[in-house]
Amino acid sequence: MQTWIETDKNSDFSIYNLPFGVYSIKNKNKKIGVAIGDLILDLEAVSELGVFNELNIDSNVFVSNYLNDFISLGKKTTVKAREIIQKELCNVSSVLRNDNSIFIKQKDVTMHMPVKIGDYTDFYSSIEHATNIGTMFRDPKNALLPNWRHLPVGYHGRSSSIILSGQDIHRPKGQVMLNDNTSPSFQESVRVDFELEMGFIIGKSTHLGESVSTNEAEDFIFGKVLFNDWSARDIQKWEYVPLGPFLAKSFASSISPWVVTLEALEPFKTTGPKQEPKVLPHLESKGAKNYDINLEVLIQADKENEKTVSKSNFKFMYWNMCQQLAHHTSNGCNINVGDMMASGTISGKDANSYGSMLELSWAGSKPVSLNNGDSRKFINDNDTVIMRGYCQKGSIRVGFGEVKTKLLKSL
Ligand code: MN
């Protein structure tokens, strides 16, 4: 595929990608756009040129605070819309070439939350991560709890505190039990951590009582974003038994602004780890359902350069998205367009592929070096955590951009 738009070969937003996002210029209305190279294609303006005529889309759907209404048009329409854009951007005599105002420079806009998130669920689906945590906090010989290989463990999180890349957060306070104390104290968390995750956005609602099978699941997934599930390990350790994470997680999670569609990720599908023992029939999934997505976490200390602290890959996930969604709806729980499902921390086998500071510093016992002799066990005030992700096959690159969040001192 060859586009007439100038794009760098290392751009995440190649002609093969075309992710959707919500942007605004100065004080104007929020609009839906598609990223290509360093530019954004204004979809309202594109629609007004008539290129979506066969789809019968009202141009107004592109003047919106969120992608939800566009996504609700259904995959038949949204997939076709993306294909039309792709075709036009490759067609040297396209009508899009006559109107420069439909392209906006990414550096000139403000990006916004891409979807209005109704519900948010976080899974725990990397076997390396779950094993590391179980080894540290329980028993290395029985690191995985008995249910782990039989179902994708998850918990219901807060959607209210999911924020966009670029928004700063404050160090959370909470109840912790210090090692040498016999009673808890309420204080600033001293173990603030990131979790390298990917989120997927629900593209089709179900009715209460219905279940989605692993075979159907991809029809219900619109696309993916990078997801940093901020965590306070000291709060988590004290509160999590018996009902799981609560305030240790709900102070913030950050996402990248561009939603990469499942269709753009199709060439990067790969098979996941072998599941042993065999899962129950309702969770069985056939074929390649994992994705080869290179992931990276960097820490930028105040006034310093960023330093890579982890390199992982989404293909390591033991449970895939189809199984997560099948499990989530297996009891008849309904899902809605815009719901966010996060993968759980994505760790690999190697110690430099762990997806959290908890694992990288092995609960604070091995400091992680940054630039200029600096090191970290957890995240300090004024540190910025950056996550990036991309797929690459030959010269074809499809990337996610980044999710970048600075941790400020407690309020
Ligand atoms: Mn998490």
Side-chain angles (χ1 to χ4, degrees):
M1 252 187 287
Q2 192 73 45
T3 171
W4 42 268
I5 304 267
E6 217 175 283
T7 52
D8 188 277
K9 69 175 181 13
N10 291 321
S11 173
D12 280 349
F13 308 124
S14 68
I15 185 69
Y16 299 96
N17 191 349
L18 306 178
F20 293 89
V22 174
Y23 72 96
S24 66
I25 318 169
K26 294 193 184 95
N27 300 318
K28 294 199 188 140
N29 285 332
K30 292 180 190 171
K31 280 187 172 189
I32 294 176
V34 157
I36 173 84
D38 300 330
L39 302 173
I40 295 173
L41 195 50
D42 170 347
L43 291 195
E44 186 206 15
V46 169
S47 180
E48 308 260 273
L49 291 172
V51 302
F52 297 139
N53 278 354
E54 60 180 291
L55 299 178
N56 237 335
I57 303 179
D58 184 342
S59 301
N60 280 329
V61 79
F62 298 114
V63 185
S64 180
N65 293 344
Y66 300 105
L67 291 171
N68 296 52
D69 288 347
F70 172 67
I71 294 173
S72 296
L73 296 174
K75 270 216 185 196
K76 251 197 189 130
T77 304
T78 58
V79 168
K80 190 78 191 149
R82 184 174 157 276
E83 285 170 2
I84 290 171
I85 295 164
Q86 204 164 42
K87 207 173 92 204
E88 292 295 331
L89 292 175
C90 290
N91 174 6
V92 287
S93 46
S94 168
V95 59
L96 304 187
R97 294 196 87 166
N98 307 333
D99 187 354
N100 270 335
S101 70
I102 64 174
F103 292 101
I104 302 117
K105 290 191 174 109
Q106 280 175 32
K107 65 175 177 54
D108 293 341
V109 309
T110 305
M111 294 303 297
H112 302 279
M113 281 293 286
V115 282
K116 186 169 173 57
I117 303 169
D119 278 301
Y120 156 53
T121 298
D122 193 24
F123 288 95
Y124 187 58
S125 290
S126 150
I127 197 163
E128 288 82 8
H129 173 69
T131 303
N132 285 340
I133 301 304
T135 300
M136 266 183 262
F137 290 112
R138 287 183 299 269
D139 171 12
K141 287 193 195 94
N142 296 294
L144 294 179
L145 288 170
N147 61 4
W148 201 92
R149 288 173 185 269
H150 296 282
L151 55 85
V153 171
Y155 68 93
H156 191 220
R158 292 286 301 174
S159 54
S160 65
S161 52
I162 300 182
I163 57 169
L164 195 71
S165 175
Q167 185 178 336
D168 299 338
I169 60 168
H170 291 272
R171 179 174 296 275
K173 293 174 196 150
Q175 205 179 102
V176 304
M177 175 67 104
L178 299 175
N179 280 338
D180 39 6
N181 283 7
T182 50
S183 55
S185 58
F186 181 79
Q187 60 170 65
E188 290 177 9
S189 167
V190 293
R191 291 191 153 204
V192 174
D193 198 357
F194 58 78
E195 287 189 337
L196 169 64
E197 304 196 16
M198 297 207 73
F200 69 85
I201 290 165
I202 295 300
K204 188 173 162 183
S205 303
T206 62
H207 295 292
L208 187 64
E210 286 175 3
S211 300
V212 177
S213 71
T214 55
N215 276 335
E216 301 162 317
E218 286 167 355
D219 289 340
F220 289 80
I221 301 172
F222 179 74
K224 294 179 65 59
V225 292
L226 298 168
F227 194 101
N228 180 354
D229 182 22
W230 287 93
S231 302
R233 301 302 181 189
D234 38 9
I235 299 173
Q236 185 177 352
K237 194 177 178 190
W238 175 233
E239 76 173 1
Y240 88 102
V241 178
L243 289 186
F246 186 36
L247 304 183
K249 303 282 188 172
S250 61
F251 63 95
S253 301
S254 349
I255 64 168
S256 52
W258 291 104
V259 184
V260 176
T261 64
L262 276 204
E263 291 67 38
L265 295 170
E266 190 65 26
F268 308 101
K269 272 186 159 173
T270 181
T271 48
K274 189 173 172 19
Q275 295 183 320
E276 203 54 66
K278 204 165 174 294
V279 301
L280 288 172
H282 73 293
L283 293 178
E284 265 174 32
S285 89
K286 290 185 195 75
K289 293 284 168 65
N290 277 39
Y291 293 83
D292 184 357
I293 305 172
N294 301 293
L295 298 167
E296 183 181 29
V297 186
L298 306 97
I299 298 176
Q300 184 177 20
D302 200 21
K303 299 181 183 80
E304 294 285 344
N305 293 325
E306 51 193 47
K307 170 80 192 280
T308 300
V309 294
S310 174
K311 281 190 175 194
S312 188
N313 194 303
F314 189 60
K315 72 183 176 190
F316 299 147
M317 300 309 288
Y318 187 88
W319 293 100
N320 62 52
M321 294 187 287
C322 297
Q323 293 176 311
Q324 290 170 336
L325 195 52
H327 176 60
H328 203 309
T329 58
S330 62
N331 66 346
C333 172
N334 50 331
I335 50 170
N336 289 304
V337 166
D339 284 355
M340 177 74 76
M341 313 275 171
S343 57
T345 308
I346 306 161
S347 294
K349 287 192 172 66
D350 301 332
N352 61 2
S353 66
Y354 295 164
S356 66
M357 290 302 284
L358 180 63
E359 295 162 271
L360 290 165
S361 78
W362 207 256
S365 65
K366 293 186 216 163
V368 174
S369 357
L370 302 186
N371 295 318
N372 296 333
D374 231 357
S375 69
R376 291 286 182 278
K377 294 174 178 171
F378 292 94
I379 303 302
N380 284 7
D381 287 352
N382 299 314
D383 283 352
T384 301
V385 174
I386 304 154
M387 294 175 181
R388 301 199 176 109
Y390 69 94
C391 310
Q392 183 102 37
K393 208 173 203 176
S395 59
I396 301 178
R397 184 179 168 110
V398 169
F400 288 79
E402 63 181 22
V403 53
K404 183 173 181 171
T405 313
K406 188 171 188 177
L407 176 69
L408 304 177
K409 67 177 169 45
S410 283
L411 280 178

